[in-house]
Amino acid sequence: MARAGFGLLSVLLSLLVIGLLGAVALNHYWSATSDPRAGSAPGEGVSPDQSARLAEAQALSSRAMTALTLCAQTTGMPADMPGGASGRCSVAEIASNAGVGPNGVTADGRWQITSAEIRAGGGSALIGQVSITGLGGSAAGLSASLFATPGGMVSRCDVGGGPPPASPSAGRGC
């Protein structure tokens, strides 16, 4: 007696193939779609060398933001004050944890942390900014800022020799 219909193995293989094709298609879609909050797509109009230097700036700003957050928490930043309060941590206090000298300059002299601040926002959100400026070598003329916002971290860059972006909507996406 012959059976009608598909076997379990053929249905599972079909689902596997459809899932793999869907995953590849979504991966291509997400990598080709730029973040609308970023203004321009990261890397758009930036040379490969500038892109590599901006990645260095982003790594430094991330380390500095982490060190700043840790410092603010250990110094007892009040989280429930209306309007927030300053973290009261200087660049010199976070320098060793951020991987820079007391004046905020990296060991190779190419980058400097120009500002670092954090405060308690509404609820448990931290609001702050770390700004990095390129001083010399291939970093000259580049700058970046990392912003802690209630919605998450926002990284912005400037490749035209200007100061670090002053707000999460200034500059370009990095």
Side-chain angles (χ1 to χ4, degrees):
M1 178 182 249
R3 291 192 198 195
F6 297 104
L8 180 61
L9 186 58
S10 62
V11 170
L12 290 176
L13 285 174
S14 298
L15 289 175
L16 178 67
V17 169
I18 290 171
L20 288 173
L21 290 174
V24 170
L26 280 175
N27 184 32
H28 284 291
Y29 173 76
W30 289 118
S31 65
T33 305
S34 66
D35 186 356
R37 295 173 295 167
S40 61
E44 187 176 299
V46 177
S47 73
D49 183 57
Q50 287 176 325
S51 182
R53 300 297 76 82
L54 290 175
E56 289 176 0
Q58 286 179 300
L60 178 58
S61 63
S62 293
R63 284 193 317 263
M65 183 64 79
T66 302
L68 187 62
T69 303
L70 178 64
C71 179
Q73 289 173 347
T74 58
T75 58
M77 179 178 69
D80 56 353
M81 289 187 70
S86 174
R88 308 254 191 273
C89 294
S90 68
V91 172
E93 291 174 297
I94 67 165
S96 63
N97 288 336
V100 296
N103 58 355
V105 177
T106 58
D108 62 5
R110 291 186 309 150
W111 297 102
Q112 181 177 20
I113 299 173
T114 55
S115 69
E117 66 164 322
I118 198 161
R119 63 185 171 87
S124 62
L126 293 176
I127 300 171
Q129 173 182 352
V130 172
S131 296
I132 310 292
T133 300
L135 297 178
S138 58
L142 303 176
S143 60
S145 293
L146 179 65
F147 299 92
T149 68
M153 296 291 183
V154 177
S155 183
R156 306 298 291 176
C157 295
D158 181 80
V159 295
S167 73
S169 59
R172 66 185 311 132
C174 326

